[in-house]
């Protein structure tokens, strides 16, 4: 399989570079800039990216790759800091832009030399996304200038003999109009890629690998019904069939029909599927608990207990499978760009389940690739396109104490909202949307009578990373339809509110 190596110098868009390369059907991995030369050789890349980063290349402690990387005969594309690094390492000169006008930030009109392979068949002028305070004052011998902007004569450089390219701007960011095309040119015209990274191939390869590794062993998986664990279950069942046991803990806090949908998706597959209906047990533990953190804690702990109890009835297993995906691997901090995500998943590793090894067959896939693999494996779209759903489920969407009656009100209201969003074609454009049962009761008038019922809040947000989010500008007509339906169809609700708060200061969930 052809591979691209991305050396990480700490830039904020590094994951994005990896995703863009994979979108062009070329496999790539992000590694720390300090990756030793012999490891790079073993990785055997057809091309190498140097990412951007917050440092200045002329400072002594700035991150540098092993200098042997320039003698491998492998094409290199340096982006921003990576471009300056290329220049500085090969005899050029990089300095701080003393003159503020030489610093660039944002969308910048840029002119290209189409005779350079990166810009082949592209317009001679277009917009790029710049973000730099340093610039290349002198380019190294063997290089020529390939792009410029009003403020920066050295917006791109190339040495076509050695196949070294550098761009001061960020082709991986959508604001660079022809960024994808430039990456495509580098991958295909310069590195000679063929585009052999497809989910059909990945499926075939992982099934083979899993069979080799698992042999006759037994595999245990905690299935939550979320996208990652569902795809993992489908992949493992294809690889090892009934040697796989999936434990689906239904904590009774799922959305309408969700538990049955998950079960149905696995009904025809070869595996040992066990649904544990533990709703009563969870509700019992949650009775009278109103503090959000206490609720989360109880659910997390209970989840592990139920899983362990079920696992004990299975006996010893050889492998525990986990739905770790590539962003988790990157974010858990291997590289310069380590962002520590506060992971608040229900589950975690049960410590009393006896197993020898962990299997993580999705650990090299991005979320969109996991979905693609799920489609490849024939999972229903309702599971694959599922929006994020918190581990503690509806318990953190019922404000205050959780009861079966309240859960049932919420399930109905949420289902109406979801149905109307889908009918309006907005289910794919909103990042996440759901209903919340507030603990506010208020007076209303229904027919000739007075009501004193709950208010349901609707939440819909737009976000790319869930760290920050904006509320969705949903059409009034849609909100009106949802409101009318909820108060008419859900007994016990007489008021519907729409949440117009961003994150921060609010969070996406209410608890
Ligand atoms: P907040 O409320 O923190 O939510 O703004 C951000 C995203 O995380 C989801 N979320 C969770 N996901 N376990 C999860 O797996 C949890 O405990 C949890 N709490 C929040 C939330 O739905 C949103 O997508």
């Amino acid at each position: 399989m052809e591979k691209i190596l991305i050396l990480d110098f700490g830039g904020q868009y590094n994951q994005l570079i990896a995703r863009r390369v994979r979108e062009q059907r070329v496999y790539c991995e992000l590694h720390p800039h300090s990756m030793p030369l012999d490891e790079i050789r073993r990785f055997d890349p057809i091309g190498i990216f140097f990412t951007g980063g917050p440092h200045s290349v002329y400072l002594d402690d700035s991150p540098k790759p092993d200098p042997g990387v320039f003698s491998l005969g492998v094409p290199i594309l340096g982006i921003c800091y990576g471009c300056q690094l290329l220049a500085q390492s090969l005899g050029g000169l990089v300095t701080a832009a003393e003159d503020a006008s030489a610093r660039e930030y944002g969308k910048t009109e840029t002119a290209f030399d189409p005779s350079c392979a990166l810009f082949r068949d592209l317009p001679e002028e277009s917009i790029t996304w710049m973000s730099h305070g340093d610039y290349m004052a002198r380019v190294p011998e063997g290089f020529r200038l390939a792009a410029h902007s009003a403020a920066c004569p050295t917006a791109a450089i190339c040495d076509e003999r050695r196949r070294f390219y550098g761009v001061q701007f960020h082709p991986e960011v959508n604001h660079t109009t022809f960024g994808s095309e430039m990456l495509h040119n580098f991958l295909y015209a310069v590195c000679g890629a063929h585009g052999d990274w497809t989910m059909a191939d990945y499926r075939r390869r992982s099934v083979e690998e899993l069979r080799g590794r698992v042999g006759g062993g037994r595999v245990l998986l905690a299935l939550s019904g979320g996208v990652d664990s569902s795809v993992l279950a489908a992949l493992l069942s294809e690889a090892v069939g009934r040697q796989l046991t999936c434990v689906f803990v239904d904590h009774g806090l799922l959305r309408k029909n969700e538990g049955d949908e998950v079960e149905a998706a696995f009904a025809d597959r070869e595996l040992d599927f066990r649904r544990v209906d533990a709703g009563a047990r969870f509700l019992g533990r949650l009775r009278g608990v109103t503090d959000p953190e206490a609720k989360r804690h109880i659910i997390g702990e209970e989840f592990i207990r139920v899983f362990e109890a079920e696992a004990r009835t299975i006996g010893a297993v050889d492998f525990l499978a986990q739905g770790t995906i590539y962003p988790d691997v990157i974010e858990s901090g291997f590289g310069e760009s380590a962002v520590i995500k506060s992971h608040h998943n229900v589950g975690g590793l049960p410590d009393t389940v006896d197993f020898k090894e962990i299997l993580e067959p999705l650990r090299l896939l991005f979320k969109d690739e996991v979905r693609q693999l799920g489609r490849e494996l024939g999972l229903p779209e309702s599971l694959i396109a599922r929006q994020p759903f918190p581990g503690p489920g509806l318990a953190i969407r019922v404000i205050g104490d959780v009861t079966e009656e309240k859960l049932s009100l919420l399930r109905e209201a949420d289902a109406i909202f979801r149905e109307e969003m889908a009918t309006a074609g907005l289910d794919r454009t909103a990042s996440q949307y759901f209903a919340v049962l507030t603990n506010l009761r208020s007076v209303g008038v229904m027919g000739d009578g007075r009501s004193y019922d709950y208010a349901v809040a609707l939440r819909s947000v737009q976000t790319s990373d869930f760290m920050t989010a904006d509320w969705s500008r949903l059409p009034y007509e849609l909100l009106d339809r949802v409101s009318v339906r909820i108060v008419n169809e859900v007994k016990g609700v007489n008021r519907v509110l729409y949440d117009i708060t961003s994150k921060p200061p609010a969070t996406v969930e209410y608890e």
Side-chain angles (χ1 to χ4, degrees), residues 203 206-211 213-215 217-223 228-246 266 269-272 319-323 358-362 373 377 379:
R203 170 190 188 178
S206 346
V207 165
E208 270 168 31
E209 259 172 50
L210 283 166
R211 284 185 184 148
R213 187 154 165 216
V214 172
R218 303 193 61 185
V219 185
L220 177 63
L221 167 69
L223 181 71
D228 303 340
S229 70
S230 300
V231 172
L232 182 56
L235 181 68
L236 282 165
S237 94
E238 177 163 296
V240 302
R242 293 197 62 82
Q243 286 160 254
L244 168 69
T245 301
C246 276
F266 293 97
R269 289 175 200 265
E270 217 193 318
L271 78 164
D272 171 20
F319 301 90
L320 186 73
Q322 292 229 295
I358 291 185
L359 289 179
E360 295 177 313
L362 308 180
L373 180 62
L377 288 160
L379 282 174

Side-chain angles (χ1 to χ4, degrees), residues 197-459:
W197 173 248
T198 65
M199 282 305 117
D201 278 345
Y202 184 83
R203 170 190 188 178
R204 193 179 36 74
R205 270 195 301 263
S206 346
V207 165
E208 270 168 31
E209 259 172 50
L210 283 166
R211 284 185 184 148
R213 187 154 165 216
V214 172
R218 303 193 61 185
V219 185
L220 177 63
L221 167 69
L223 181 71
S224 71
V227 181
D228 303 340
S229 70
S230 300
V231 172
L232 182 56
L235 181 68
L236 282 165
S237 94
E238 177 163 296
V240 302
R242 293 197 62 82
Q243 286 160 254
L244 168 69
T245 301
C246 276
V247 176
F248 169 42
V249 176
D250 182 349
H251 52 21
L253 304 165
L254 296 170
R255 289 166 290 197
K256 190 174 177 182
N257 301 334
E258 206 165 28
D260 296 342
E261 277 169 26
V262 172
E263 192 170 347
F266 293 97
D268 296 334
R269 289 175 200 265
E270 217 193 318
L271 78 164
D272 171 20
F273 183 94
R274 305 182 181 200
R275 175 171 175 175
V276 188
D277 285 310
R281 182 170 168 167
F282 277 83
L283 266 187
R285 288 284 320 272
L286 287 169
R287 188 170 302 128
V289 180
T290 54
D291 177 62
E293 283 307 307
K295 283 190 197 174
R296 280 174 174 276
H297 189 78
I298 289 171
I299 296 166
E301 194 185 278
E302 205 57 19
F303 195 94
I304 298 204
R305 287 227 187 103
V306 174
F307 180 71
E308 283 173 347
E310 188 62 28
R312 272 196 290 275
T313 70
I314 301 163
V317 293
D318 304 283
F319 301 90
L320 186 73
Q322 292 229 295
T324 316
I325 66 171
Y326 204 41
D328 304 332
V329 175
I330 296 176
E331 280 162 17
S332 62
F334 75 80
E336 280 285 313
S337 53
V339 201
I340 305 303
K341 188 164 77 174
S342 62
H343 226 122
H344 41 189
N345 250 330
V346 169
L349 271 186
D351 48 14
T352 61
V353 176
D354 198 13
F355 64 92
K356 295 191 203 114
E357 280 181 60
I358 291 185
L359 289 179
E360 295 177 313
L362 308 180
R363 66 178 280 119
L364 294 173
L365 300 187
F366 284 110
K367 192 84 178 184
D368 43 342
E369 293 174 320
V370 174
R371 292 207 165 93
Q372 202 48 48
L373 180 62
R375 288 191 185 100
E376 224 13 88
L377 288 160
L379 282 174
E381 203 56 27
S382 61
L383 262 187
I384 288 168
R386 185 157 278 175
Q387 39 171 324
F389 185 63
L394 299 182
I396 57 166
R397 294 181 182 170
V398 169
I399 313 286
D401 69 319
V402 184
T403 62
E404 191 48 71
E405 296 68 45
K406 288 185 186 171
L407 284 171
S408 139
L409 288 190
L410 177 56
R411 271 195 201 102
E412 294 307 319
D414 186 67
I416 292 172
F417 187 27
R418 286 199 285 154
E419 193 182 311
E420 290 296 336
M421 285 289 279
T423 308
L426 292 168
D427 51 336
R428 295 291 168 81
T429 48
S431 311
Q432 193 175 5
Y433 55 93
F434 51 88
V436 172
L437 187 70
T438 72
N439 53 358
L440 165 76
R441 294 177 79 191
S442 66
V443 175
V445 49
M446 289 222 185
D448 293 329
R450 172 187 188 274
S451 64
Y452 185 61
D453 285 332
Y454 286 107
V456 159
L458 306 177
R459 180 85 163 133

Side-chain angles (χ1 to χ4, degrees), residues 144-159:
R144 68 188 172 93
L145 297 179
H148 66 269
S149 65
C152 179
T154 52
I157 56 171
C158 60
D159 174 347

Side-chain angles (χ1 to χ4, degrees), residues 97 99-112 124-128 130 132 135 145 147-156 168-169:
D99 177 2
S101 67
R103 289 182 209 133
E104 290 175 298
Y105 186 80
K107 291 184 181 177
T108 308
E109 186 69 56
T110 309
F112 302 95
E124 290 187 22
E125 285 198 1
S126 62
I127 298 293
T128 64
M130 295 276 190
H132 64 106
Y135 79 111
L145 297 179
H148 66 269
S149 65
C152 179
T154 52
Q168 189 55 75
F169 55 87

